[in-house]
PDB file of all heavy atoms in Angstrom:
ATOM      1  N   ARG A   6      -4.333   4.338   9.945  1.00  0.00           N
ATOM      2  CA  ARG A   6      -5.415   3.537   9.378  1.00  0.00           C
ATOM      3  C   ARG A   6      -4.994   3.043   7.998  1.00  0.00           C
ATOM      4  O   ARG A   6      -4.460   3.811   7.192  1.00  0.00           O
ATOM      5  CB  ARG A   6      -6.660   4.427   9.281  1.00  0.00           C
ATOM      6  CG  ARG A   6      -7.909   3.696   8.909  1.00  0.00           C
ATOM      7  CD  ARG A   6      -9.120   4.602   9.005  1.00  0.00           C
ATOM      8  NE  ARG A   6     -10.242   3.978   8.338  1.00  0.00           N
ATOM      9  CZ  ARG A   6     -10.975   2.989   8.862  1.00  0.00           C
ATOM     10  NH1 ARG A   6     -10.729   2.575  10.088  1.00  0.00           N
ATOM     11  NH2 ARG A   6     -11.957   2.438   8.181  1.00  0.00           N
ATOM     12  N   LEU A  29     -18.376  -7.353  -4.311  1.00  0.00           N
ATOM     13  CA  LEU A  29     -17.438  -6.833  -3.304  1.00  0.00           C
ATOM     14  C   LEU A  29     -18.182  -6.020  -2.248  1.00  0.00           C
ATOM     15  O   LEU A  29     -17.945  -6.162  -1.041  1.00  0.00           O
ATOM     16  CB  LEU A  29     -16.372  -5.960  -3.989  1.00  0.00           C
ATOM     17  CG  LEU A  29     -15.341  -5.344  -3.053  1.00  0.00           C
ATOM     18  CD1 LEU A  29     -14.471  -6.433  -2.411  1.00  0.00           C
ATOM     19  CD2 LEU A  29     -14.452  -4.345  -3.798  1.00  0.00           C
ATOM     20  N   ALA A  30     -19.123  -5.197  -2.714  1.00  0.00           N
ATOM     21  CA  ALA A  30     -19.873  -4.341  -1.779  1.00  0.00           C
ATOM     22  C   ALA A  30     -20.654  -5.193  -0.783  1.00  0.00           C
ATOM     23  O   ALA A  30     -20.666  -4.911   0.419  1.00  0.00           O
ATOM     24  CB  ALA A  30     -20.811  -3.423  -2.557  1.00  0.00           C
ATOM     25  N   PRO A  54     -21.582   5.222 -12.847  1.00  0.00           N
ATOM     26  CA  PRO A  54     -22.426   4.055 -12.543  1.00  0.00           C
ATOM     27  C   PRO A  54     -22.018   3.346 -11.254  1.00  0.00           C
ATOM     28  O   PRO A  54     -22.872   2.854 -10.518  1.00  0.00           O
ATOM     29  CB  PRO A  54     -22.257   3.136 -13.752  1.00  0.00           C
ATOM     30  CG  PRO A  54     -21.270   3.758 -14.651  1.00  0.00           C
ATOM     31  CD  PRO A  54     -21.042   5.166 -14.232  1.00  0.00           C
ATOM     32  N   THR A  84      -7.929  17.771 -25.322  1.00  0.00           N
ATOM     33  CA  THR A  84      -8.734  16.679 -25.866  1.00  0.00           C
ATOM     34  C   THR A  84      -8.361  15.328 -25.248  1.00  0.00           C
ATOM     35  O   THR A  84      -7.188  14.970 -25.208  1.00  0.00           O
ATOM     36  CB  THR A  84      -8.555  16.628 -27.399  1.00  0.00           C
ATOM     37  OG1 THR A  84      -8.934  17.895 -27.919  1.00  0.00           O
ATOM     38  CG2 THR A  84      -9.423  15.533 -28.020  1.00  0.00           C
ATOM     39  N   ASP A  86      -8.518  14.419 -22.176  1.00  0.00           N
ATOM     40  CA  ASP A  86      -8.130  14.432 -20.765  1.00  0.00           C
ATOM     41  C   ASP A  86      -9.330  14.657 -19.854  1.00  0.00           C
ATOM     42  O   ASP A  86     -10.388  15.116 -20.291  1.00  0.00           O
ATOM     43  CB  ASP A  86      -7.098  15.547 -20.515  1.00  0.00           C
ATOM     44  CG  ASP A  86      -5.701  15.102 -20.917  1.00  0.00           C
ATOM     45  OD1 ASP A  86      -5.330  13.975 -20.567  1.00  0.00           O
ATOM     46  OD2 ASP A  86      -4.999  15.883 -21.590  1.00  0.00           O
ATOM     47  N   LEU A  87      -9.125  14.365 -18.592  1.00  0.00           N
ATOM     48  CA  LEU A  87     -10.161  14.590 -17.575  1.00  0.00           C
ATOM     49  C   LEU A  87      -9.565  15.403 -16.452  1.00  0.00           C
ATOM     50  O   LEU A  87      -8.429  15.170 -16.031  1.00  0.00           O
ATOM     51  CB  LEU A  87     -10.641  13.246 -17.005  1.00  0.00           C
ATOM     52  CG  LEU A  87     -11.372  12.322 -17.975  1.00  0.00           C
ATOM     53  CD1 LEU A  87     -11.572  10.948 -17.346  1.00  0.00           C
ATOM     54  CD2 LEU A  87     -12.727  12.924 -18.349  1.00  0.00           C
ATOM     55  N   GLU A  90     -11.646  17.830 -11.146  1.00  0.00           N
ATOM     56  CA  GLU A  90     -13.019  18.232 -10.822  1.00  0.00           C
ATOM     57  C   GLU A  90     -14.033  17.296 -11.486  1.00  0.00           C
ATOM     58  O   GLU A  90     -15.083  16.986 -10.918  1.00  0.00           O
ATOM     59  CB  GLU A  90     -13.264  19.680 -11.278  1.00  0.00           C
ATOM     60  CG  GLU A  90     -12.639  20.742 -10.397  1.00  0.00           C
ATOM     61  CD  GLU A  90     -11.125  20.899 -10.552  1.00  0.00           C
ATOM     62  OE1 GLU A  90     -10.538  20.271 -11.455  1.00  0.00           O
ATOM     63  OE2 GLU A  90     -10.540  21.669  -9.766  1.00  0.00           O
ATOM     64  N   ASP A  94     -16.765  15.055  -9.695  1.00  0.00           N
ATOM     65  CA  ASP A  94     -18.158  15.193 -10.105  1.00  0.00           C
ATOM     66  C   ASP A  94     -18.784  13.822 -10.430  1.00  0.00           C
ATOM     67  O   ASP A  94     -19.981  13.598 -10.248  1.00  0.00           O
ATOM     68  CB  ASP A  94     -18.204  16.096 -11.347  1.00  0.00           C
ATOM     69  CG  ASP A  94     -19.598  16.448 -11.781  1.00  0.00           C
ATOM     70  OD1 ASP A  94     -20.387  16.888 -10.925  1.00  0.00           O
ATOM     71  OD2 ASP A  94     -19.910  16.290 -12.978  1.00  0.00           O
ATOM     72  N   VAL A 100      -7.527   9.782  -6.351  1.00  0.00           N
ATOM     73  CA  VAL A 100      -7.006   9.612  -7.702  1.00  0.00           C
ATOM     74  C   VAL A 100      -5.566   9.101  -7.612  1.00  0.00           C
ATOM     75  O   VAL A 100      -4.776   9.595  -6.805  1.00  0.00           O
ATOM     76  CB  VAL A 100      -7.106  10.917  -8.538  1.00  0.00           C
ATOM     77  CG1 VAL A 100      -6.336  12.074  -7.908  1.00  0.00           C
ATOM     78  CG2 VAL A 100      -6.632  10.688  -9.973  1.00  0.00           C
ATOM     79  N   ALA A 145      21.363  -1.435 -10.128  1.00  0.00           N
ATOM     80  CA  ALA A 145      22.472  -0.468 -10.058  1.00  0.00           C
ATOM     81  C   ALA A 145      22.587   0.165  -8.669  1.00  0.00           C
ATOM     82  O   ALA A 145      23.380   1.090  -8.469  1.00  0.00           O
ATOM     83  CB  ALA A 145      22.265   0.620 -11.107  1.00  0.00           C
ATOM     84  N   SER A 181       4.105  -8.812 -12.395  1.00  0.00           N
ATOM     85  CA  SER A 181       5.143  -9.810 -12.708  1.00  0.00           C
ATOM     86  C   SER A 181       5.081 -11.035 -11.821  1.00  0.00           C
ATOM     87  O   SER A 181       5.744 -12.037 -12.091  1.00  0.00           O
ATOM     88  CB  SER A 181       6.525  -9.169 -12.539  1.00  0.00           C
ATOM     89  OG  SER A 181       6.719  -8.837 -11.164  1.00  0.00           O
ATOM     90  N   PRO A 185       9.571  -7.510  -3.893  1.00  0.00           N
ATOM     91  CA  PRO A 185      10.818  -7.368  -3.154  1.00  0.00           C
ATOM     92  C   PRO A 185      10.723  -8.191  -1.870  1.00  0.00           C
ATOM     93  O   PRO A 185       9.628  -8.596  -1.459  1.00  0.00           O
ATOM     94  CB  PRO A 185      10.868  -5.870  -2.807  1.00  0.00           C
ATOM     95  CG  PRO A 185       9.813  -5.217  -3.639  1.00  0.00           C
ATOM     96  CD  PRO A 185       8.803  -6.261  -3.967  1.00  0.00           C
ATOM     97  N   VAL A 191      10.699  -2.624   3.560  1.00  0.00           N
ATOM     98  CA  VAL A 191      10.808  -1.794   4.770  1.00  0.00           C
ATOM     99  C   VAL A 191      11.877  -0.718   4.580  1.00  0.00           C
ATOM    100  O   VAL A 191      11.692   0.442   4.961  1.00  0.00           O
ATOM    101  CB  VAL A 191      11.122  -2.672   6.010  1.00  0.00           C
ATOM    102  CG1 VAL A 191      11.421  -1.815   7.224  1.00  0.00           C
ATOM    103  CG2 VAL A 191       9.950  -3.612   6.298  1.00  0.00           C
ATOM    104  N   VAL A 193      12.805   0.773   1.815  1.00  0.00           N
ATOM    105  CA  VAL A 193      12.332   1.865   0.952  1.00  0.00           C
ATOM    106  C   VAL A 193      11.274   2.703   1.681  1.00  0.00           C
ATOM    107  O   VAL A 193      11.311   3.939   1.639  1.00  0.00           O
ATOM    108  CB  VAL A 193      11.772   1.317  -0.383  1.00  0.00           C
ATOM    109  CG1 VAL A 193      11.169   2.457  -1.204  1.00  0.00           C
ATOM    110  CG2 VAL A 193      12.869   0.617  -1.171  1.00  0.00           C
ATOM    111  N   LEU A 201      10.359  12.420   3.672  1.00  0.00           N
ATOM    112  CA  LEU A 201       9.201  13.285   3.926  1.00  0.00           C
ATOM    113  C   LEU A 201       9.389  14.068   5.221  1.00  0.00           C
ATOM    114  O   LEU A 201       9.080  15.264   5.293  1.00  0.00           O
ATOM    115  CB  LEU A 201       7.921  12.437   4.038  1.00  0.00           C
ATOM    116  CG  LEU A 201       7.482  11.705   2.766  1.00  0.00           C
ATOM    117  CD1 LEU A 201       6.323  10.771   3.075  1.00  0.00           C
ATOM    118  CD2 LEU A 201       7.085  12.718   1.703  1.00  0.00           C
ATOM    119  N   GLN A 206       6.000  18.288   8.329  1.00  0.00           N
ATOM    120  CA  GLN A 206       5.620  17.924   9.698  1.00  0.00           C
ATOM    121  C   GLN A 206       4.654  16.749   9.759  1.00  0.00           C
ATOM    122  O   GLN A 206       4.579  16.047  10.747  1.00  0.00           O
ATOM    123  CB  GLN A 206       4.937  19.115  10.363  1.00  0.00           C
ATOM    124  CG  GLN A 206       5.908  20.165  10.827  1.00  0.00           C
ATOM    125  CD  GLN A 206       5.211  21.247  11.618  1.00  0.00           C
ATOM    126  OE1 GLN A 206       3.990  21.375  11.565  1.00  0.00           O
ATOM    127  NE2 GLN A 206       5.988  22.035  12.346  1.00  0.00           N
ATOM    128  N   SER A 218       2.204  -6.866  -7.428  1.00  0.00           N
ATOM    129  CA  SER A 218       1.922  -8.301  -7.255  1.00  0.00           C
ATOM    130  C   SER A 218       1.415  -8.653  -5.862  1.00  0.00           C
ATOM    131  O   SER A 218       1.764  -9.701  -5.310  1.00  0.00           O
ATOM    132  CB  SER A 218       3.162  -9.139  -7.622  1.00  0.00           C
ATOM    133  OG  SER A 218       3.450  -8.968  -8.999  1.00  0.00           O
ATOM    134  N   VAL A 219       0.594  -7.771  -5.285  1.00  0.00           N
ATOM    135  CA  VAL A 219      -0.085  -8.128  -4.031  1.00  0.00           C
ATOM    136  C   VAL A 219      -1.229  -9.080  -4.384  1.00  0.00           C
ATOM    137  O   VAL A 219      -2.022  -8.804  -5.285  1.00  0.00           O
ATOM    138  CB  VAL A 219      -0.636  -6.880  -3.311  1.00  0.00           C
ATOM    139  CG1 VAL A 219      -1.385  -7.295  -2.038  1.00  0.00           C
ATOM    140  CG2 VAL A 219       0.487  -5.897  -2.980  1.00  0.00           C
ATOM    141  N   ALA A 225      -1.277 -10.637   3.709  1.00  0.00           N
ATOM    142  CA  ALA A 225      -1.123 -10.497   5.163  1.00  0.00           C
ATOM    143  C   ALA A 225       0.340 -10.257   5.517  1.00  0.00           C
ATOM    144  O   ALA A 225       0.654  -9.405   6.362  1.00  0.00           O
ATOM    145  CB  ALA A 225      -1.651 -11.742   5.872  1.00  0.00           C
ATOM    146  N   ALA A 236      -2.068  -1.153   0.706  1.00  0.00           N
ATOM    147  CA  ALA A 236      -1.638  -1.760  -0.554  1.00  0.00           C
ATOM    148  C   ALA A 236      -2.336  -1.104  -1.733  1.00  0.00           C
ATOM    149  O   ALA A 236      -3.501  -0.697  -1.636  1.00  0.00           O
ATOM    150  CB  ALA A 236      -1.949  -3.260  -0.539  1.00  0.00           C
ATOM    151  N   PHE A 248      -9.984  -9.713  -4.350  1.00  0.00           N
ATOM    152  CA  PHE A 248      -9.738  -8.444  -3.635  1.00  0.00           C
ATOM    153  C   PHE A 248     -10.253  -8.515  -2.199  1.00  0.00           C
ATOM    154  O   PHE A 248      -9.661  -7.915  -1.293  1.00  0.00           O
ATOM    155  CB  PHE A 248     -10.401  -7.284  -4.383  1.00  0.00           C
ATOM    156  CG  PHE A 248      -9.953  -5.922  -3.881  1.00  0.00           C
ATOM    157  CD1 PHE A 248      -8.618  -5.555  -3.922  1.00  0.00           C
ATOM    158  CD2 PHE A 248     -10.879  -5.014  -3.380  1.00  0.00           C
ATOM    159  CE1 PHE A 248      -8.189  -4.305  -3.458  1.00  0.00           C
ATOM    160  CE2 PHE A 248     -10.470  -3.763  -2.926  1.00  0.00           C
ATOM    161  CZ  PHE A 248      -9.132  -3.406  -2.975  1.00  0.00           C
TER     162      PHE A 248
END
Side-chain angles (χ1 to χ4, degrees):
R6 189 173 166 78
L29 179 66
T84 302
D86 279 315
L87 294 170
E90 284 75 7
D94 187 50
V100 59
S181 65
V191 172
V193 175
L201 295 172
Q206 282 187 344
S218 296
V219 178
F248 192 59

